[in-house]
Amino acid sequence: MIRILRQIARTGLVSEAAPPPDEALRARAPEIQAEILALLGRALAIRQVDAGSCNGCELEIHALNNPYYNLEGLGIRFVASPRHADMLLVTGPVAKNMEPALRIAWEATPDPKLVVAVGDCGCTGGIFGESYASCGKVANVIPVDVTVPGCPPTPLAILQGILTAVTARAAGG
Amino acid sequence: MRIPGLNLQWKALPGEAPAAIAAVGEWQWTEAARLVREGGGRLVALWGADHRDLAEDEDEYSVYAAYAVKDGLAVVELLVPDSAPAFPDLSGLFPAAGRMQRALFDLLGIGAAGAADTRPWLRHGAWPEGAFPLRRDFDAAKLPPNAFTDYPFVRVEGDGVHEIPVGPIHAGTIEPGHFRFSIVGEKVLRLEARLGYVHKGIDKRFEAFTVAEGFRLAGRVSGDSTVAFAWAYAQAAESLLGVVPPPRARWLRAMFLERERVANHLGDLGALGNDAAFGFALAQFMRIKEDWLRENAAVFGHRMLMDLVVPGGVARAFDAAQAEAMIATSHAVEREARELRAIFDEHAGLQDRFLTTGRATPELARALGLTGLAGRASGQACDLRVDFPAVPYGELAVRKAGSAAGDVAARVAVRFDELLESLRLVRAIALAAPDGELAEELPAPRPQAFGVGWVEGWRGEAFVALEAGEGGMIRRCHAHDPSWQNWPVIEHAVIGNIVPDFPLINKSFNLSYSGQDG
Ligand code: SF4
């Protein structure tokens, strides 16, 4: 226990001392949280679906959960079931073998649902394209609100994509 | 001498991987497998190619098996006639061959004669029975609509036996796959996985790339192993092109590979702590990993180091100031990792969850061909960086990690050992990498030229076989992820454990779905 406390003391609160790229984000955090609260009255619940990714995009989504990005502090959390989700965060070209599961997840997500397609693959089919085994971009299978290009996109870009989708929904009512 | 006891005409393949290829007949195909098995060798990969358009008399396919033997990689090629597209089953000798053979049939229509399990593996219904995507006359435009099919799981009968289906979409942010548990109470009697959900046709897709450009796709076979696969691809391309990368490039590749190993081990150690209800570990390791990835981006331009290993060399290097910064970071990470390791070791709750959980004994590991990091944690002392060191590993004298315990604790311990060793390697490379050019010019490939690559990634051996076509294009490229060997072992390692321990056991192997699905 002593060791743990020492380690915590030494590290401090990382999310409060985020390096430069996150400064803008940190400054905006209260505003973002307020926006999400105003829109949903609670935290934004995201269900991630890997529809055929190379797993690179998943690693960057994982990174979003590290202390630098302070996701919970922004009022965003990942949930286990699409039934509890406001948003699907979909990666990969949609593998044909995942096409039925993606449709089921989308149908199970309550309206009004948001879909963010993450990564070049999700945006366009990316390097895998369309083939006997790949449906290509996510929008070929389910409606997409926002796309986040990059291979993989940085955690910050993914976060911005998520916020863009929320803000657009707020603006559109 | 590649396979003692068999008189074959070995043709050495030039390049970094210590490999040779020989043609075999049907009898020799089986005999080679038997002799490799008896000699303590391993099956690395099994794949096929459609060569019917090139054959002089009867149309033919090739089926290949790559074995790890004492003096390197022994690739055998069996020609299979179009009139009887089958080859002798290897799964009796190498159980890991079973799923590879099923995939080979799904994609190329060549079956393993005598195999017990012939259920489709990658074909879930996206293409119909009798259509084979890797055949050169396959026409994707003529496919019927996607018709997802159920899978005949093996049923366990008995009093009080329940089935729990999980997936393909899991609760967390992880890749998709289906797991079927048969349980009594909370205890797992049997686990059967159905994979292939993220099959996106990578082998076929390679045919749309030139030999010079295919590294980008290779680097996305399994994103967490992008360096390992891009390097294996580059080795294969350089082998068939007769190109030797400049010394500086070879040292840089090792820098990328070790940085990739560090990043993945950091992430896994945090996640393993978290799965054992120790959230503090996750936050700490994720923070250190984020710093590490940011340094990747600052020095090399990409957080995950994608597209940096290219055939002929590398795309980026570091300068003296960056070398110093990387050395300092590596020291800092090492200090923190040692501190965290001490915390892990002292934490009774963690040790309780890790010890004896998810055990793969050395006997089981040997029988099933468990490879890479998980293999080393189960007494399988293989590490290509030590056994067949490419430049610069010979000079760096990598220390091989290992344990015979085979449980989650052993896989955690091997990760810590390898993390610390890779941090040392990063510093050694930053100090000693020679100056010079970053890449060689690439000549045009000769049609049908063939090469292989074989690299010890953080998870295990990444293997690539490459055949050139006309006009600089790829004719056939097969990328093999070590997860092929290791997935079936998880099914054994969970037996007798409780269902709630499955996520921890699964994470302790951390296998790639994308890599095995292809
Ligand atoms: S966008 Fe890039 S990292 Fe993401 S799934 Fe596609 S290939 Fe992988």
Side-chain angles (χ1 to χ4, degrees), chain B residues 52-69:
Chain B
R52 290 174 301 168
D53 55 322
L54 301 175
E56 275 157 24
D57 30 45
E58 199 189 348
D59 293 350
E60 283 162 331
Y61 300 94
S62 299
V63 178
Y64 304 87
Y67 297 105
V69 294

Side-chain angles (χ1 to χ4, degrees), chain A residues 50 52-60 91-93 118-123 125-128 148-153, chain B residues 200 216-217 219-223 302 304 306 514:
Chain A
D50 172 350
S53 126
C54 78
N55 78 27
C57 281
E58 273 59 41
L59 289 175
E60 293 298 49
T91 61
V118 172
D120 286 350
C121 292
C123 297
I127 196 161
F128 304 107
V148 185
C151 183
Chain B
K200 39 204 173 279
R216 292 181 198 282
L217 185 56
R220 286 155 181 86
V221 167
S222 182
H302 195 285
M304 288 167 58
M306 279 178 164
S514 181

Side-chain angles (χ1 to χ4, degrees), chain A residues 137-149:
Chain A
K137 62 183 175 184
V138 176
N140 285 347
V141 179
I142 57 173
V144 168
D145 297 282
V146 170
T147 55
V148 185

Side-chain angles (χ1 to χ4, degrees), chain A residues 3 8 12 14 19-20 31 38 48 58 64 66-67 79 86-87 90-91 104 106 112 136 142 145 158 161:
Chain A
R3 269 185 202 277
I8 292 173
V14 181
E31 200 185 311
Q48 197 269 334
E58 273 59 41
L64 258 190
N66 78 41
V79 296
D86 307 299
M87 175 187 288
V90 187
T91 61
I104 291 168
W106 185 78
I142 57 173
D145 297 282
I158 298 171

Side-chain angles (χ1 to χ4, degrees), chain B residues 165-198:
Chain B
V166 180
I169 299 179
H170 302 298
T173 299
I174 61 171
E175 299 179 77
H178 185 98
F179 298 101
R180 187 68 60 100
F181 295 90
S182 300
I183 59 157
V184 164
E186 281 218 303
K187 276 223 156 63
V188 179
L189 286 183
R190 182 187 164 86
L191 165 63
E192 188 178 358
R194 182 194 196 185
L195 303 176
Y197 285 90
V198 289

Side-chain angles (χ1 to χ4, degrees), chain A residues 47 54 60 68-69 96-97, chain B residues 146 170 196 223 290-291 303:
Chain A
R47 168 68 250 204
C54 78
E60 293 298 49
Y68 280 113
Y69 301 100
K96 290 207 176 164
N97 289 351
Chain B
N146 194 0
H170 302 298
E290 179 69 20
D291 290 339
R303 285 163 58 89

Side-chain angles (χ1 to χ4, degrees), chain B residues 173-421:
Chain B
T173 299
I174 61 171
E175 299 179 77
H178 185 98
F179 298 101
R180 187 68 60 100
F181 295 90
S182 300
I183 59 157
V184 164
E186 281 218 303
K187 276 223 156 63
V188 179
L189 286 183
R190 182 187 164 86
L191 165 63
E192 188 178 358
R194 182 194 196 185
L195 303 176
Y197 285 90
V198 289
H199 175 67
K200 39 204 173 279
I202 293 176
D203 275 21
K204 181 81 176 175
R205 185 71 178 166
F206 270 116
E207 295 171 15
F209 289 81
T210 61
V211 168
E213 282 294 317
F215 70 93
R216 292 181 198 282
L217 185 56
R220 286 155 181 86
V221 167
S222 182
D224 56 19
S225 305
T226 181
V227 176
F229 272 103
W231 191 353
Y233 179 90
Q235 282 186 352
E238 287 154 7
S239 170
L240 73 80
L241 293 169
V243 167
V244 178
R248 180 161 179 75
R250 303 176 81 172
W251 281 72
L252 275 154
R253 289 174 176 185
M255 173 65 98
F256 302 151
L257 191 70
E258 298 313 317
R259 291 191 69 90
E260 175 166 279
R261 197 180 318 275
V262 167
N264 280 286
H265 286 355
L266 288 171
D268 282 355
L269 286 166
L272 282 161
N274 194 51
D275 275 345
F278 190 48
F280 164 77
L282 182 65
Q284 295 295 318
F285 277 110
M286 289 298 276
R287 172 183 55 77
I288 303 170
K289 180 177 176 182
E290 179 69 20
D291 290 339
W292 192 257
L293 298 182
R294 286 179 184 197
E295 188 167 82
N296 280 347
V299 179
F300 301 111
H302 195 285
R303 285 163 58 89
M304 288 167 58
L305 308 174
M306 279 178 164
D307 303 330
L308 296 181
V309 179
V310 300
V314 293
R316 294 280 290 249
F318 55 83
D319 61 27
Q322 289 166 326
E324 251 175 60
M326 286 192 288
I327 290 169
T329 306
S330 156
H331 276 301
V333 171
E334 178 167 344
R335 269 193 306 276
E336 295 211 72
R338 287 189 188 281
E339 183 88 2
L340 284 160
R341 183 175 208 171
I343 293 173
F344 268 46
D345 287 346
E346 281 172 15
H347 195 285
L350 269 191
Q351 292 309 315
D352 186 50
R353 290 290 305 281
F354 288 172
L355 284 166
T356 74
T357 304
R359 175 167 274 170
T361 63
E363 296 69 41
L364 180 77
R366 195 173 318 116
L368 296 185
L370 187 67
T371 185
L373 173 149
R376 289 190 288 280
S378 287
Q380 309 307 299
C382 308
D383 184 331
L384 300 180
R385 298 174 300 161
V386 180
D387 304 340
F388 307 105
V391 175
Y393 287 113
E395 218 168 300
L396 295 170
V398 177
R399 279 187 296 261
K400 198 185 280 188
S403 165
D407 53 5
V408 172
R411 290 184 285 278
V412 167
V414 168
R415 275 186 176 82
F416 269 118
D417 287 343
E418 295 191 349
L419 168 64
L420 296 171
E421 178 68 350

